[in-house]
Amino acid sequence: MRILFLHLSDLHIQSSTAFDKFHIEKMLDSLRMTKDFDHMVMIFSGDIAQSGEAIQYDTARRIVATVFRLCKSKKIYSNRIDVLCVPGNHDVLHGPDPRTAQELNKIFSSKSYSSRVQSELQMQDNFFAFAQKNGCFSCPSLFDRKMLNYGGFKIEVNLINSAAFSLRNDEDKGLHYLSQEHINTLNTPTQADFVVSVMHHAPDWFIDDQKDQLEKARWSKSSLLYLGHEHRLGLKTVGYAEKTAAFVHAGGALCYSDDWTKSEFEFGVLDTDTFDYEYYSMRWNLEQNQYECVDKPKVLNLPRKPSVEKKLKVSGEFLSALKKDDGHTVAD
């Protein structure tokens, strides 16, 4: 079975002019570069809107609906498309008088994050309305988990809201927050065959203790991690200590501030039998009026990391030490 993951990041939609059927059509045409696939997942890794306003998500909904419709009419893919989305700092309604770095540092110093979570989530109301229409974040939260089941192949999806306690401008590194309860949930096994995580900011944007826990959980548990924010297209391999690696996607910017002339996106196709993963990074060629591969398509073999309880292994050295009893004969 083959599953296609279409990663669209950092749209920064400002108005209805961000809707461009021609570019959407060309984007979907590029999916023909790979062989047929059985299932399709569309991933938005934050900064869908430019300023978190409701009208901007109206345009985002039109883009999603057009992808659904064109996939069928162009005979690219005719089944259900699952949508995964998380917010970025531009999906927050910061208002006319946005919070400053000094104010955020006061929250950090006073350790008052937990008492302010609800007010942070209220600033993302328009994002959550968009997310709920697409089956994500059934209630406003810092974390959501979805389970996808394709013919018995189960995928655990972790959606991490890194937009809370963010600023409109990048003066908040090391100050983002996720509750310990959500980190514990993140580490809870689900019996899934495969784990995918999506977040806008990388773990190093969180406060130190949470940064370390997030890195350990993400790199050791996930096989694929989709990030936004950096507006940089590419794929890299990251490992934690001696754990098997995770492949980290940075998705570029699809239509930054309604401009598709520098559009970038990426997609990958997972073969669930071999765990081979075909990766394509795409950029708009203004002269040729089409998307082209930035680099040659890559084929990677992903590590198998099912989301199961880790079992203790008793070593021979431990058994030998347990039996050693110089003073008594009970060990025998």
Side-chain angles (χ1 to χ4, degrees):
M1 180 169 55
R2 288 165 56 82
I3 304 170
L4 184 139
F5 296 91
L6 174 62
H7 183 204
L8 310 177
S9 189
D10 290 85
L11 283 70
H12 290 270
I13 294 169
Q14 293 190 107
S15 67
S16 61
T17 60
F19 178 79
D20 188 323
K21 183 184 174 185
F22 176 72
H23 278 84
I24 297 170
E25 205 163 352
K26 289 292 188 179
M27 176 179 72
L28 296 177
D29 282 340
S30 70
L31 302 184
R32 299 185 193 275
M33 295 176 65
T34 185
K35 293 181 292 185
D36 290 343
F37 44 91
D38 305 289
H39 300 281
M40 180 173 171
V41 181
M42 184 160 52
I43 301 168
F44 293 95
S45 57
D47 282 357
I48 298 165
Q50 173 63 16
S51 51
E53 297 172 28
I55 194 170
Q56 296 167 350
Y57 294 102
D58 289 342
T59 302
R61 291 185 190 96
R62 287 183 68 198
I63 291 173
V64 171
T66 302
V67 168
F68 288 178
R69 180 172 53 81
L70 288 178
C71 273
K72 289 184 178 180
S73 65
K74 295 171 72 65
K75 295 182 170 48
I76 295 169
Y77 176 76
S78 58
N79 297 324
R80 171 188 170 86
I81 300 175
D82 285 297
V83 178
L84 309 175
C85 57
V86 296
N89 50 305
H90 283 270
D91 292 303
V92 177
L93 276 167
H94 291 284
D97 187 24
R99 177 174 49 211
T100 65
Q102 290 77 14
E103 291 170 318
L104 189 54
N105 271 290
K106 285 181 182 178
I107 296 173
F108 171 76
S109 300
S110 63
K111 298 180 179 178
S112 58
Y113 282 105
S114 59
S115 65
R116 298 172 182 262
V117 167
Q118 287 308 312
S119 61
E120 289 292 315
L121 296 177
Q122 288 170 5
M123 295 164 64
Q124 302 173 35
D125 277 350
N126 293 325
F127 163 78
F128 286 122
F130 170 81
Q132 287 161 14
K133 287 281 187 181
N134 290 290
C136 301
F137 290 97
S138 58
C139 59
S141 179
L142 297 177
F143 176 82
D144 187 31
R145 171 172 280 167
K146 288 189 67 171
M147 297 297 298
L148 306 177
N149 191 327
Y150 298 134
F153 185 83
K154 297 184 288 296
I155 302 177
E156 172 192 315
V157 178
N158 296 301
L159 304 173
I160 301 167
N161 180 352
S162 67
F165 302 100
S166 65
L167 302 177
R168 184 174 292 170
N169 300 314
D170 288 347
E171 298 174 345
D172 51 0
K173 197 165 190 176
L175 296 173
H176 292 216
Y177 172 82
L178 186 68
S179 74
Q180 187 62 49
E181 176 187 358
H182 289 130
I183 293 175
N184 293 343
T185 303
L186 190 60
N187 284 305
T188 303
T190 61
Q191 309 308 310
D193 302 290
F194 193 71
V195 180
V196 172
S197 295
V198 187
M199 57 197 299
H200 185 65
H201 301 81
D204 54 0
W205 287 80
F206 287 78
I207 59 178
D208 283 345
D209 178 54
Q210 294 178 1
K211 167 184 173 286
D212 294 340
Q213 292 187 72
L214 277 170
E215 283 185 340
K216 183 177 181 180
R218 292 284 52 76
W219 307 151
S220 62
K221 189 177 183 185
S222 297
S223 290
L224 295 176
L225 175 61
Y226 294 90
L227 298 175
H229 193 63
E230 302 293 338
H231 298 187
R232 184 180 66 248
L233 189 66
L235 180 73
K236 64 181 179 180
T237 307
V238 179
Y240 184 86
E242 297 179 356
K243 303 291 184 181
T244 49
F247 291 88
V248 183
H249 287 264
L254 184 67
C255 55
Y256 185 77
S257 298
D258 300 3
D259 180 8
W260 290 78
T261 61
K262 298 178 182 177
S263 176
E264 295 178 329
F265 72 97
E266 58 184 4
F267 66 94
V269 183
L270 173 69
D271 185 315
T272 60
D273 295 323
T274 64
F275 270 56
D276 284 344
Y277 183 70
E278 302 168 18
Y279 170 71
Y280 300 80
S281 55
M282 310 299 296
R283 180 175 293 147
W284 184 252
N285 184 320
L286 193 57
E287 293 181 358
Q288 298 297 322
N289 230 20
Q290 64 182 13
Y291 286 100
E292 295 181 348
C293 272
V294 176
D295 299 307
K296 289 182 179 179
K298 300 178 177 67
V299 179
L300 311 163
N301 190 253
L302 301 185
R304 294 178 184 261
K305 294 190 278 187
S307 179
V308 294
E309 193 75 42
K310 300 297 187 290
K311 295 181 179 179
L312 294 175
K313 293 182 179 179
V314 181
S315 68
E317 183 183 3
F318 172 79
L319 287 175
S320 177
L322 183 66
K323 291 177 181 178
K324 187 176 182 181
D325 186 357
D326 295 331
H328 305 280
T329 59
V330 293
D332 290 338

